[in-house]
Amino acid sequence: PQPQLNLAIGRMNYDAFLMSDHRNVGYSYLWVRPPIEFYSWIPILFVDGIDVTYNFYNYGVRWRLKSQYGKAATNIPMGESIYHFKTNNLIGFSLIRQSDYLKAKIAYSKFSINSEVPSFIPLLNGLNSIANLGLPGISTEADNLKNNIAFMDGKISYTTFGIYYNNNLWQTQAEIGKSTASVAAVPHGIMSYLSISRYFGNLSPFIMLSSAKSTNKIRNATNTWGDLNSIIRDPAIFIINSIRFNHRTVSLGLRWDLNSQTALKLQWDHSDIKP
């Protein structure tokens, strides 16, 4: 409607990352792949909804303010089954500042999960039955475990900050993000990375450090359930703990631009995964 204002309805990118527009187009970034600690945990690749973007300039600096609302869906392999991950009420905001050499972005989004993991349903039914028995301690623990492994109606919020610098000699990129969730079985924590590269003609060696760590503590049993320990209680606790993550990766690599249309990229990763 105006030169500074863009409105879009339909399917668009999920605007939560510094590389939201192109993280699936490998030629456009330096590495063989983006850091898995930061870019692999969230399954949302697009949003079906409404997007409003306002651009303005101030003293040679371009600013972009964006908001979006909609829903998203994707299929996630889980063992022998497929989890149809769906969200509702996805709301996102971002602000980008871009000058000659520097780009910075801050973003915030939140959404509700609108589907349940099929393989969790029998366990959730069992926990619900025990929660309704009124057993001292045990029923309370069962109800808490049920609420922390049920994906349906879980709330997730995600905040990120990223910065990119390129002066045609050095290229530096870094992002940090924090996710929170109302469900312990949904991955959430703090993720970050830092990548540094220097140009030597058509060669671009780089080093990258990345890390991810859950903010929820290890879950332990508080009551003895008798024969139900191994059937219901322990599997529920295992699901919660297995979602936790604590690992770091150091990457070394080289990009060689053979010509204006072809690049050869090599990358070596070493990951340290905590127990």
Side-chain angles (χ1 to χ4, degrees):
Q2 296 179 359
Q4 300 92 348
L5 184 64
N6 297 325
L7 304 179
I9 300 176
R11 176 162 294 181
M12 60 214 74
N13 63 293
Y14 175 47
D15 189 50
F17 307 100
L18 191 61
M19 299 195 302
S20 288
D21 292 335
H22 61 270
R23 68 185 185 277
N24 290 324
V25 186
Y27 182 84
S28 62
Y29 46 76
L30 181 67
W31 326 291
V32 171
R33 57 189 165 274
I36 60 173
E37 282 83 0
F38 196 87
Y39 277 97
S40 70
W41 78 272
I42 195 164
I44 299 176
L45 297 177
F46 59 82
V47 176
D48 291 333
I50 302 173
D51 184 291
V52 181
T53 305
Y54 182 73
N55 297 279
F56 59 97
Y57 294 84
N58 185 27
Y59 296 103
V61 176
R62 178 191 174 191
W63 296 84
R64 191 200 76 179
L65 179 63
K66 178 190 282 273
S67 63
Q68 56 186 192
Y69 175 82
K71 60 183 180 179
T74 189
N75 293 329
I76 305 174
M78 282 193 170
E80 298 179 354
S81 63
I82 298 294
Y83 173 37
H84 302 289
F85 179 82
K86 300 178 181 179
T87 73
N88 269 344
N89 300 319
L90 190 153
I91 301 174
F93 303 95
S94 69
L95 178 64
I96 288 181
R97 179 196 185 277
Q98 188 160 8
S99 57
D100 290 339
Y101 300 139
L102 183 66
K103 176 181 179 181
K105 178 178 181 179
I106 186 169
Y108 170 81
S109 62
K110 65 177 183 177
F111 54 86
S112 300
I113 301 176
N114 192 36
S115 59
E116 189 56 76
V117 181
S119 58
F120 288 2
I121 293 177
L123 181 59
L124 289 169
N125 291 335
L127 289 169
N128 188 58
S129 298
I130 296 173
N132 291 329
L133 291 177
L135 301 174
I138 296 177
S139 292
T140 301
E141 184 177 17
D143 186 64
N144 184 269
L145 289 172
K146 178 196 67 175
N147 293 333
N148 275 286
I149 68 172
F151 276 45
M152 188 71 178
D153 296 326
K155 305 287 192 299
I156 297 178
S157 64
Y158 190 40
T159 305
T160 61
F161 174 75
I163 190 166
Y164 173 81
Y165 177 81
N166 188 338
N167 66 353
N168 298 318
L169 181 62
W170 291 93
Q171 177 179 319
T172 302
Q173 183 167 325
E175 288 184 87
I176 184 169
K178 181 179 181 180
S179 64
T180 61
S182 62
V183 181
V186 175
H188 57 283
I190 298 175
M191 312 86 174
S192 62
Y193 73 90
L194 170 65
S195 173
I196 300 175
S197 174
R198 191 186 190 282
Y199 297 112
F200 295 92
N202 293 332
L203 297 176
S204 305
F206 65 85
I207 181 172
M208 180 165 60
L209 306 174
S210 56
S211 69
K213 186 174 183 179
S214 291
T215 50
N216 56 318
K217 297 181 180 179
I218 294 175
R219 181 67 182 254
N220 295 306
T222 58
N223 294 276
T224 299
W225 296 19
D227 294 337
L228 297 177
N229 283 346
S230 59
I231 300 175
I232 297 181
R233 186 200 68 179
D234 293 348
I237 293 175
F238 174 80
I239 289 173
I240 293 175
N241 288 333
S242 67
I243 300 299
R244 297 177 70 255
F245 48 86
N246 185 3
H247 50 89
R248 296 185 297 268
T249 298
V250 57
S251 303
L252 300 175
L254 175 69
R255 175 177 175 135
W256 179 16
D257 287 276
L258 303 175
N259 54 51
S260 61
Q261 296 176 301
T262 308
L264 174 65
K265 297 193 285 187
L266 305 173
Q267 184 168 324
W268 171 87
D269 297 330
H270 178 78
S271 296
D272 177 25
I273 304 173
K274 301 300 181 181

